[in-house]
Amino acid sequence: MNGIIGMADLALDTQLSPDQREYLNTVKLSADTLLQLINDILDFSKIEAGKLDLDPIDFRLRDNLGDTLKTLAIRAHQKGLELAARVLPDVPDELVGDPVRLRQIIVNLIGNAIKFTERGEVVIQVAVDGQPQGDNLCLHFAVSDTGIGIPEDKQGVIFEAFAQADGSTTRKYGGTGLGLAISSQLVKMMGGRIWVESEVGKGSTFHFTAQMSLSKNLAPKLPTQQADLEGLPVLVVDDNATNRRISEEILRHWHAKPVITSSAAAAFTGMKKAHARGEPFQVVLLDCLMPETDGFGLAERIRQDPDLASTKLIMVSSTGRASVASRCREMGLAGYLTKPVKQSELFDAIATAVGNQGEPVAQPAAASPSEAGASRKLRVLLAEDNPVNQRLVAKLMEKHGHTLVAVNNGVEALGALERETFDVVLMDVQMPEMGGFEATARIRDREKSTGQHVPVIAMTAHALKGDRERCLEAGMDAYVSKPIQATVLFETIDSVVPNPSLVASVPEKLPEDDAAPAASVKVFDYEAALAMLDGDTELFSELAGLFTTESVQLLNQIHESIAGRDAKLLERSAHSLKGSAAAFSAGPSRAVAQRLEGMGARGEFGGADVVAAELREEVTRLTKALSKYRKEGAVCES
């Protein structure tokens, strides 16, 4: 499967005739379908054998749900369906649970809803079920659709393995009948229950509950733009009632003053009346696709009216086509969002619009980590006994300009590392003579005397319980699952291999400070950090101040975790500090924090105090550099 999917992806990136492209797309689609079937069977067999465990971690519910829906949006929009998420305001955002398995349940339920719905909408709603008990709470998820519905006598059968409401639907819609059975078992593992309410011809609502707890490690997410939305007059124009209700609820939770309307004509009339009252709308959210007059037609009419032309307009579209974004930029709109819109994206778009002093434009998507790091040339060692996989990885590395050395087993990998220096090792787990776990353990033993550390990324089929734990215990820094996805592979490489080209020197124009390191010492990348904040120097200053305060607390936690041999606290604290440093493209601090995180994950405390001291030194250098940028921002930008 790794070879079929990987080679199909590579072939699709070449010049092809229309027929060839169609054939290869069919091959890839078929392979993806087969892979999903294999994964479902493996999951189901692991559940039946009691070999599947949950992995509770800290996560943000709204971001997790928003990212999940983004992966399903294309399928929904291709069928002309509205896909929306409603998280009630009283639902906490910072939780402890298994976001991967929660995502699996949601993907199954929403995927089914999209599959069996030809027109209308699919909506997921999240609410708190009952009264929280201390830090523990129960969440109630409901996925509703306007699809074909399920007969009452079949509603109990669908949660059984390999069962569907109607055997004929298997041929028409596809699927194995395992998705709901797996979801049902996962829900039970989360301490909840799952059930369905449905009426033939009118749609279905699948409900499930899950036990979660409040996170004590994630701070409430701060707004990413400097703007106060309290009292802000916002007009929402959308012909879909569910979207209007969700937008109004979110905006009211932010203390804005939303007004909702369902048509372009009513919106324009409302804007004129508001202007006449001396209470004009400052921001308008425009649905792109509406009957009679669409969002662009309304935007043009607003721009042509002298009283309304200065209003900030944000287009919200159910299609991610480049032509829509391009037209938004041409018209000078303040923003462009694709449905379903994450709450953080909506806030950022509105905050940016009302705080924008220049010409409003639709912002292009930020470059992915792999794209940002594509310019550097790495030496990569691949330990893999499968010739197809070797060829696939070789072509991927070649496309990104990296140099690859391939060996067939762990013994050969150890020999290659003795002869040459590599930036990263891609290590297959199962190989003849010596597998990936043993080879990595020997690599780490050698490094104890040298003090060096080469990042090792495991490549595993991920079919056995405990794979992740075994990888970390063996001293591996990260892992990717087979079949290999190019984007995931390069993002993982970027996460474990510091990129010197993204770490800038502290400018020589900064004030002299005898206690500070020399100006030539590489600390962080001001340009990259500022780019991530859309050039907002005030926000940079605020985040730098927050980092200074937060880093002290995290360093103290790291010290306590090492003294108390608390591996989980060490992993968690180092992970948080790594993420904070990454926000400033602070390569040295991030790299050392990454090493400590791995040691915590492996329960390895030998030498941890030395690494922690190194991290404290790097963070001290970083906070001093950040402080100078806060004081001398204008000089630094020049």
Side-chain angles (χ1 to χ4, degrees):
M1 294 305 300
N2 188 50
I4 294 170
I5 294 175
M7 290 301 179
D9 279 331
L10 287 172
L12 286 167
D13 283 340
T14 63
Q15 290 186 344
L16 301 168
S17 70
D19 285 344
Q20 290 171 328
R21 187 164 298 278
E22 179 185 352
Y23 301 154
L24 277 171
N25 275 319
T26 303
V27 169
K28 187 174 186 303
L29 178 61
S30 301
D32 287 337
T33 302
L34 180 56
L35 179 62
Q36 182 60 52
L37 171 61
I38 294 170
N39 285 335
D40 283 347
I41 293 173
L42 287 172
D43 276 344
F44 190 74
S45 63
K46 284 189 286 184
I47 289 172
E48 284 197 320
K51 300 296 185 181
L52 190 147
D53 291 329
L54 298 180
D55 185 15
I57 60 172
D58 298 298
F59 75 102
R60 300 187 192 277
L61 175 66
R62 287 168 176 81
D63 281 349
N64 183 268
L65 182 59
D67 291 337
T68 301
L69 263 62
K70 291 289 187 185
T71 65
L72 298 162
I74 294 178
R75 290 168 55 192
H77 298 156
Q78 285 175 341
K79 299 183 70 173
L81 303 176
E82 288 284 349
L83 179 60
R86 182 189 182 205
V87 182
L88 298 189
D90 64 336
V91 176
D93 197 41
E94 294 79 23
L95 300 173
V96 176
D98 190 330
V100 175
R101 294 304 178 182
L102 177 62
R103 174 190 177 99
Q104 185 175 357
I105 298 169
I106 292 172
V107 167
N108 272 326
L109 296 183
I110 295 182
N112 274 350
I114 294 171
K115 184 192 302 183
F116 296 111
T117 303
E118 296 303 323
R119 63 180 63 86
E121 64 184 22
V122 175
V123 180
I124 181 170
Q125 176 172 298
V126 189
V128 176
D129 188 34
Q131 292 296 321
Q133 303 296 319
D135 288 339
N136 300 316
L137 72 160
C138 182
L139 294 184
H140 179 183
F141 297 80
V143 176
S144 303
D145 64 60
T146 54
I148 61 177
I150 303 169
E152 186 174 354
D153 62 334
K154 299 292 186 180
Q155 292 177 14
V157 179
I158 58 176
F159 295 107
E160 298 176 6
F162 302 105
Q164 290 189 328
D166 181 352
S168 64
T169 63
T170 302
R171 291 187 295 273
K172 181 177 180 181
Y173 296 99
T176 63
L178 279 175
L180 288 178
I182 293 170
S183 297
S184 177
Q185 294 300 318
L186 290 175
V187 167
K188 288 181 182 179
M189 294 172 66
M190 293 181 179
R193 64 189 186 96
I194 188 169
W195 69 99
V196 64
E197 298 170 348
S198 184
E199 185 175 347
V200 175
K202 294 187 177 180
S204 307
T205 299
F206 281 82
H207 303 262
F208 74 93
T209 58
Q211 298 291 334
M212 303 278 177
S213 59
L214 300 177
S215 171
K216 297 180 180 179
N217 302 303
L218 291 178
K221 196 169 185 179
L222 294 173
T224 57
Q225 296 290 343
Q226 292 299 296
D228 186 359
L229 303 191
E230 186 167 355
L232 182 73
V234 181
L235 178 63
V236 178
V237 193
D238 198 312
D239 64 315
N240 182 273
T242 301
N243 286 332
R244 293 198 301 271
R245 180 179 65 174
I246 293 172
S247 296
E248 181 181 24
E249 197 170 68
I250 293 171
L251 290 165
R252 290 196 184 281
H253 182 62
W254 293 337
H255 305 295
K257 294 172 61 178
V259 173
I260 62 174
T261 185
S262 60
S263 69
F268 188 81
T269 300
M271 292 181 70
K272 292 295 286 185
K273 290 181 178 178
H275 182 269
R277 293 194 307 267
E279 301 174 350
F281 292 104
Q282 294 188 36
V283 176
V284 179
L285 301 178
L286 303 166
D287 182 24
C288 184
L289 301 176
M290 293 186 292
E292 298 181 8
T293 304
D294 64 11
F296 285 113
L298 177 57
E300 290 176 354
R301 190 176 179 189
I302 293 171
R303 284 285 183 257
Q304 292 169 2
D305 190 299
D307 295 335
L308 309 178
S310 61
T311 308
K312 304 296 185 181
L313 306 179
I314 298 174
M315 189 66 69
V316 185
S317 173
S318 58
T319 175
R321 293 175 183 170
S323 58
V324 176
S326 176
R327 190 172 177 187
C328 288
R329 284 191 290 269
E330 290 172 0
M331 294 183 66
L333 302 191
Y336 164 63
L337 300 169
T338 56
K339 297 180 181 180
V341 179
K342 291 169 60 177
Q343 289 192 26
S344 57
E345 293 175 343
L346 179 60
F347 185 95
D348 289 352
I350 295 175
T352 301
V354 297
N356 192 356
Q357 302 301 318
E359 181 183 358
V361 293
Q363 295 297 327
S368 68
S370 59
E371 290 170 341
S375 60
R376 59 174 171 165
K377 311 301 181 187
L378 301 178
R379 285 186 54 78
V380 180
L381 174 62
L382 171 65
E384 166 67 71
D385 62 310
N386 185 297
V388 175
N389 290 341
Q390 282 189 2
R391 181 60 177 161
L392 170 61
V393 176
K395 291 299 293 183
L396 290 174
M397 294 300 143
E398 179 184 318
K399 286 181 64 177
H400 282 69
H402 304 316
T403 301
L404 181 82
V405 174
V407 296
N408 297 304
N409 55 55
V411 174
E412 293 180 10
L414 294 173
L417 286 167
E418 284 185 345
R419 297 188 301 269
E420 304 177 60
T421 300
F422 295 92
D423 297 297
V424 64
V425 179
L426 304 179
M427 185 77 73
D428 185 26
V429 169
Q430 294 179 315
M431 294 181 290
E433 294 190 52
M434 182 184 292
F437 293 135
E438 183 181 351
T440 303
R442 294 199 182 187
I443 291 171
R444 297 300 179 234
D445 285 340
R446 290 180 180 180
E447 291 175 344
K448 290 178 181 178
S449 60
T450 64
Q452 298 176 337
H453 181 90
V454 57
V456 177
I457 299 173
M459 298 192 304
T460 170
H462 200 53
L464 299 175
K465 175 185 176 182
D467 266 0
R468 176 180 182 275
E469 290 74 15
R470 291 184 67 193
C471 290
L472 295 175
E473 288 171 1
M476 295 168 171
D477 298 271
Y479 72 97
V480 294
S481 298
K482 294 180 181 178
I484 293 169
Q485 300 179 46
T487 301
V488 174
L489 175 61
F490 286 109
E491 285 179 352
T492 304
I493 291 174
D494 288 340
S495 72
V496 300
V497 184
N499 189 346
S501 67
L502 294 181
V503 184
S505 301
V506 179
E508 297 179 0
K509 293 184 179 180
L510 291 177
E512 293 296 329
D513 184 349
D514 294 336
S520 61
V521 178
K522 295 177 178 178
V523 180
F524 78 106
D525 188 342
Y526 178 72
E527 301 294 338
L530 200 61
M532 287 190 287
L533 303 177
D534 289 332
D536 192 330
T537 55
E538 291 185 7
L539 177 57
F540 173 87
S541 181
E542 179 184 348
L543 293 181
L546 288 172
F547 175 81
T548 300
T549 302
E550 179 192 50
S551 62
V552 173
Q553 298 173 351
L554 291 174
L555 286 170
N556 289 337
Q557 287 180 12
I558 289 171
H559 175 76
E560 293 170 4
S561 68
I562 295 173
R565 292 298 191 266
D566 189 335
K568 289 186 177 180
L569 179 60
L570 175 59
E571 179 184 12
R572 190 166 58 239
S573 303
H575 178 79
S576 297
L577 191 48
K578 179 188 73 174
S580 299
F584 300 99
S585 292
S589 298
R590 184 187 180 285
V592 181
Q594 173 100 30
R595 287 164 56 194
L596 267 181
E597 180 187 10
M599 297 176 78
R602 298 187 295 271
E604 177 185 317
F605 288 97
D609 52 346
V610 176
V611 181
E614 182 182 350
L615 178 60
R616 186 178 292 274
E617 181 180 345
E618 290 294 349
V619 170
T620 299
R621 294 171 58 206
L622 175 58
T623 53
K624 286 183 178 180
L626 291 174
S627 176
K628 290 181 178 181
Y629 270 90
R630 293 174 65 194
K631 295 175 183 177
E632 303 293 329
V635 174
C636 295
E637 292 176 36
S638 61

